[in-house]
Amino acid sequence: MLTLAALLAATSACGQDEGTAASRDLRVFAAASLTEAFTELGDAFMAEHPDVKVTFVFGASSDLARQIEEGAQADVLATADKETMAGVADAVDPRVFVRNRLTIVVAPGDPLAIHALEDLAKPDVKVVLAAPEVPAGRYAERILDGQGVVVEPVSYEATVKSVVTKVSLGEADAGIAYVTDVAAAGGEVDEVPIPIAENVIAAYPIATLAGSQAGAEAQAFVDFVLSDAGQKIMKTYGFLPRPTAR
Amino acid sequence: MPLAALAVAFLALPLVAVAVRTPWGALAEELAAPGVLAALRLSLVCSLGALALSFFLGLPLAWVLARVPFRGRRIVRALVILPMVLPPVVGGVALLLAYGRQGIVGHLLEQALGITLPFTTAGVIVAEAFVGMPFFVVTVEAGLRAMDGRYEEAAASLGAGRWTTFRRVTLPLLAPSLGAGAALCWARALGEFGATITFAGNLPGSTQTMPLAVYLALQTDTTTAVALSAVMLAISLTVLVVLRDRWFRLP
């Protein structure tokens, strides 16, 4: 019994602080669409703070928020919409740090000649959307509803990243994802831009979490994301800067 | 003894937790929500479909593995067992690469027959059979091996043909293994998540089975997710009760 308890304690301690004894572990939960940008941003942050080791958990914002509500150890949360952040009681002073737009994702070369949102309603076009439970799905729904376009998707994917994957694998003909996801996918998919008048702006808030064991490091990370250096990295991945008037 | 008690607590507590947090008062209302019955029906249809497919293809395979000596039999058995130990999501990716629209077999299926599996109910059945069939094959093969071959020899020596021997002697002797293999295969198919969401996608009414519905409900509405989990737990318990004579009987 005691050995088992010791074993559990040892393994859970392992998860807490990997790396050198001197380094502090910082756990950042971030929306799937931030995967590439935050990975680079985390490296830049760790170069400035050699004593901090940042570990990312990427997933659907809604999934991450639920995990935190259920007690997952996290120090920072960045979601793809304000609604999801608002549901996390532990989030301290959330601030919008980048914005994003949505776009139509198609196979390279756009073989089915999809030019606009209306084309997604054609019966022979297989469309995948993010599930309405996740932010990207809600944004897509809002855009389609705004234009009165009725799409019958073949699947509601669990994260926005798998929308892009299904199109890049050729299983689906088109999907709606963030502009930044298409940039991150390299040449594997093309995009058909959604005009600004028909589009929505996705605002990404970031916050430290009240339950954090590393409050100072968490705040330093958030400050770095909001700093000019952090914003510059986000911009290279196609994110729009945070609103200037705060 | 204390370790054994701890093991029981370790296994049972999560299930008790589901029961404790289930919104019993609002259960009927939660389950009447749109999509829940569709997911439940789809789960039953697809898992039974996967079981039928496993019977149809798995029984001959188990027979060959148990009774027909041939070169490479061990390799074939290893291949059959592989999906049991493979992470289901990896299975889903493998299924996409094989039977997807651009897959090595899938693109031929589409060109020749106009059949596409991803995003269809048939795709769910394929994914569930992929992970469930090995359980059936392995269990039935073990049953065939453990069977006393003298009964069949006696039947044959008394003039029974191969089909009659199989139908009147082998099958009845094999029934317990068939039942256990079918139960394992069906339960595995019913609970299948990773391969399904990867290969068949997630669309209410056509590919969203109960595990997928639970996972997505959890993102917005924990109460619904717990209610759905309680239903799955009840189904699993029912299966156990039905099979109690087989699994609870002590040797």
Side-chain angles (χ1 to χ4, degrees):
Chain A
M1 188 86 133
L2 279 177
T3 26
L4 189 69
L7 194 72
L8 282 175
T11 47
S12 66
C14 270
Q16 294 292 320
D17 55 344
E18 292 154 359
T20 59
S23 76
R24 305 275 329 245
D25 199 56
L26 189 69
R27 205 171 284 195
V28 178
F29 280 35
S33 47
L34 293 166
T35 307
E36 294 81 8
F38 261 31
T39 304
E40 184 183 335
L41 195 138
D43 289 342
F45 177 79
M46 283 188 280
E48 269 192 24
H49 300 81
D51 54 328
V52 182
K53 186 180 182 308
V54 181
T55 310
F56 289 108
V57 177
F58 295 109
S61 298
S62 42
D63 199 13
L64 300 174
R66 193 260 314 162
Q67 289 177 26
I68 289 169
E69 285 293 292
E70 296 282 332
Q73 268 296 315
D75 303 300
V76 176
L77 173 66
T79 60
D81 68 351
K82 293 179 186 172
E83 290 94 319
T84 306
M85 184 64 87
V88 179
D90 269 1
V92 181
D93 183 25
R95 281 153 74 177
V96 173
F97 66 103
V98 280
R99 292 170 301 160
N100 208 346
R101 286 214 170 84
L102 286 100
T103 190
I104 302 170
V105 190
V106 293
D110 193 10
L112 292 188
I114 291 159
H115 301 308
L117 287 170
E118 293 80 53
D119 295 332
L120 299 182
K122 289 180 183 167
D124 51 346
V125 177
K126 287 190 173 176
V127 178
V128 283
L129 299 176
E133 286 86 353
V134 311
R138 284 196 289 271
Y139 288 131
E141 211 167 48
R142 215 177 295 162
I143 290 172
L144 292 168
D145 287 353
Q147 298 308 306
V149 177
V150 180
V151 173
E152 286 180 11
V154 292
S155 178
Y156 289 104
E157 296 292 317
T159 74
V160 69
K161 287 294 182 194
S162 51
V163 170
V164 179
T165 306
K166 290 285 157 73
V167 175
S168 71
L169 283 175
E171 297 304 339
D173 301 315
I176 294 182
Y178 297 110
V179 173
T180 52
D181 294 318
V182 176
E188 291 188 9
V189 291
D190 275 355
E191 71 167 306
V192 178
I194 301 172
I196 289 176
E198 301 174 9
N199 216 322
V200 295
I201 297 278
Y204 286 54
I206 190 167
T208 59
L209 293 161
S212 169
Q213 306 281 319
E217 288 83 359
Q219 189 58 51
F221 183 84
V222 171
D223 290 345
F224 184 75
V225 170
L226 292 165
S227 73
D228 288 346
Q231 292 288 300
K232 209 169 143 190
I233 293 171
M234 298 307 293
K235 198 179 161 201
T236 61
Y237 285 90
F239 286 95
L240 304 170
R242 65 189 157 93
T244 38
R246 294 213 310 275
Chain B
M1 277 309 265
L3 279 181
L6 188 65
V8 171
F10 174 69
L11 294 173
L13 270 180
L15 309 180
V16 174
V18 169
V20 168
R21 282 195 48 182
T22 298
W24 295 108
L27 195 59
E29 190 186 324
E30 289 285 351
L31 298 184
V36 172
L37 270 183
L40 195 58
R41 201 184 59 223
L42 195 67
S43 270
L44 292 176
V45 167
C46 291
S47 56
L48 289 174
L51 179 58
L53 193 60
S54 300
F55 241 99
F56 183 65
L57 296 176
L59 187 54
L61 176 58
W63 178 271
V64 167
L65 284 175
R67 293 286 170 87
V68 186
F70 63 97
R71 278 173 68 88
R73 183 154 67 157
R74 294 168 70 145
I75 295 171
V76 171
R77 183 183 292 114
L79 283 176
V80 170
I81 294 177
L82 196 58
M84 287 169 82
V85 291
L86 197 68
V89 177
V90 178
V93 173
L95 286 171
L96 271 181
L97 298 181
Y99 308 126
R101 268 213 296 183
Q102 313 277 328
I104 48 178
V105 179
H107 82 280
L108 296 175
L109 276 181
E110 182 170 19
Q111 278 169 13
L113 305 166
I115 296 174
T116 56
L117 288 174
F119 310 128
T120 63
T121 305
V124 179
I125 294 176
V126 167
E128 291 185 354
F130 181 76
V131 296
M133 195 190 296
F135 289 87
F136 181 79
V137 173
V138 167
T139 313
V140 174
E141 189 207 337
L144 279 167
R145 284 180 178 282
M147 193 186 289
D148 192 336
R150 283 176 300 183
Y151 291 109
E152 285 161 314
E153 282 164 25
S157 73
L158 292 171
R162 284 182 65 179
W163 173 240
T164 311
T165 310
F166 178 76
R167 201 165 43 88
R168 302 290 296 273
V169 179
T170 315
L171 266 190
L173 282 172
L174 198 57
S177 300
L178 283 174
L184 283 173
C185 167
W186 179 75
R188 186 64 192 79
L190 189 70
E192 165 46 38
F193 173 81
T196 307
I197 199 165
T198 312
F199 179 62
N202 167 57
L203 187 72
S206 68
T207 60
Q208 189 185 72
T209 55
M210 283 293 277
L212 273 59
V214 170
Y215 175 72
L216 282 157
L218 201 48
Q219 304 204 9
T220 47
D221 186 354
T222 317
T223 316
T224 306
V226 175
L228 297 185
S229 302
V231 173
M232 293 299 279
L233 188 58
I235 293 174
S236 307
L237 273 178
T238 311
V239 174
L240 269 188
V241 169
V242 169
L243 291 172
R244 67 188 181 283
D245 285 340
R246 175 156 184 84
W247 285 347
F248 294 167
R249 198 176 50 203
L250 296 172

